[in-house]
Structures are given as C-alpha cells and as structure tokens.
Amino acid sequence: MKCNIVTVRWFDGYLEEFRATEVRFGSDLLFMRLEDGKNRQIPLRGVRWFGMSEESHQSDDPDTVN
C-alpha cells in the first residue's frame, strides 16, 4: 500500500514526520492511519503547519522517519 509522508510543524518548533496510508483533515483535526495500522489524531490548534508534499528540509530517504 502506498504511504504518504506527512510532515507536522508544531507551534513549539518541533518537526515530526509520519508515514500514513490514509490522511484526512478538517478545520480542527488531522487524522492519520499510520503504516503500522495505528491511528493518530492531532488537534490542529497545536500545529503551525502540516504538509504531504516533499519540502526542502525533509529527508530524501523515504525509509527515514524522524
């Protein structure tokens, strides 16, 4: 199954990457079904930005997750 790399920048400056098979978001919540089958729900009030496309600061190796 194809995985999306989702990058989340928190308001405290921390950058986190997730490998997700499913991604949904609304006005308040980011929902991800992670590669290992677990669910992750992130309230967007604590997030500065998130993205699903590769950014210049993301790793080039798709097997590397910070």
Side-chain angles (χ1 to χ4, degrees):
M1 185 173 282
K2 185 176 185 303
C3 282
N4 295 306
I5 296 178
V6 180
T7 305
V8 176
R9 173 72 72 179
W10 299 90
F11 272 119
D12 64 1
Y14 185 70
L15 183 67
E16 195 168 4
E17 288 184 353
F18 301 93
R19 292 178 61 91
T21 58
E22 181 180 347
V23 180
R24 297 180 186 182
F25 59 91
S27 61
D28 298 322
L29 191 68
L30 171 62
F31 169 84
M32 296 176 285
R33 186 174 311 277
L34 301 178
E35 189 176 42
D36 62 4
K38 296 178 182 175
N39 294 334
R40 180 74 191 258
Q41 298 178 4
I42 298 176
L44 292 177
R45 66 181 170 268
V47 173
R48 181 171 297 166
W49 59 261
F50 70 93
M52 295 191 330
S53 60
E54 187 170 335
E55 301 288 339
S56 61
H57 57 271
Q58 287 179 288
S59 62
D60 292 327
D61 183 3
D63 294 329
T64 303
V65 176
N66 294 336

